Amino acid sequence: MAKKTAKKAAPKKAAKKAAPKKAAKKAAPKKAAKKAAPKKAAKKVAPKKAAKKATKAKTKRTPNAAFMKPMNISATLAAVVGSKPLPRTEVVKSLWAYIKKHKLQDPKERRNINADANLLKVFGGKKTVSMFEMTKLVSKHLTS
């Protein structure tokens, strides 16, 4: 511990000395070489800390069990997605596949979905629904 504090104290002293010597340009080049060495040492320490943080970020997150639980699908939604129980995430994926296959996404306002006959029933009679509202409307057709 004592060694680390000694290393940290040296750059602080060098920083204090740097301000008055800027006026004297002749002495500055010799001192600049000495100041560069502590900065290099500090730079070597920083990448090690960054490497430790990078290894922590690489660990995979486990998905929440609530999202992976298969949900029962209503008859109206089954016409679009299929009748077998699927997790909520898979229902949304297959719904997007249906939307893209039938080109139901509004070309001008990409956030909106134009409902066809099957989706009109799922969306409760709305012809145009935003993608954020879509998940809310679909959740009404899912039961656990």
Side-chain angles (χ1 to χ4, degrees):
M1 286 293 195
K3 291 180 183 179
K4 288 183 181 178
T5 54
K7 287 181 182 178
K8 289 181 182 177
K12 288 180 183 177
K13 288 179 184 176
K16 289 180 183 177
K17 290 180 184 178
K21 295 208 177 184
K22 284 184 180 178
K25 292 181 180 177
K26 292 179 183 177
K30 291 180 182 177
K31 295 288 181 179
K34 289 181 182 178
K35 288 179 189 174
K39 287 181 182 178
K40 287 180 183 177
K43 287 181 182 176
K44 288 179 183 176
V45 174
K48 289 179 184 177
K49 289 181 181 177
K52 288 180 183 177
K53 288 180 183 177
T55 54
K56 289 181 183 177
K58 289 180 184 178
T59 58
K60 285 192 174 183
R61 295 184 339 166
T62 55
N64 189 344
F67 288 119
M68 304 313 290
K69 181 183 174 187
M71 306 286 282
N72 295 322
I73 299 167
S74 70
T76 54
L77 185 60
V80 178
V81 175
S83 59
K84 68 177 187 173
L86 291 171
R88 188 180 302 270
T89 54
E90 294 298 319
V91 169
V92 174
K93 273 186 188 178
S94 55
L95 194 61
W96 271 107
Y98 179 87
I99 290 166
K100 290 186 179 186
K101 180 182 175 186
H102 296 284
K103 297 178 182 172
L104 298 174
Q105 197 170 3
D106 193 358
K108 290 180 183 176
E109 187 64 42
R110 308 272 304 159
R111 286 181 290 180
N112 291 342
I113 291 121
N114 300 322
D116 64 349
N118 291 333
L119 285 179
L120 203 62
K121 296 172 189 172
V122 175
F123 295 159
K126 291 186 177 183
K127 289 185 179 181
T128 304
V129 174
S130 74
M131 63 174 69
F132 306 108
E133 191 180 3
M134 177 188 73
T135 53
K136 179 179 135 183
L137 295 169
V138 167
S139 68
K140 294 177 183 176
H141 295 277
L142 300 173
T143 56
S144 53

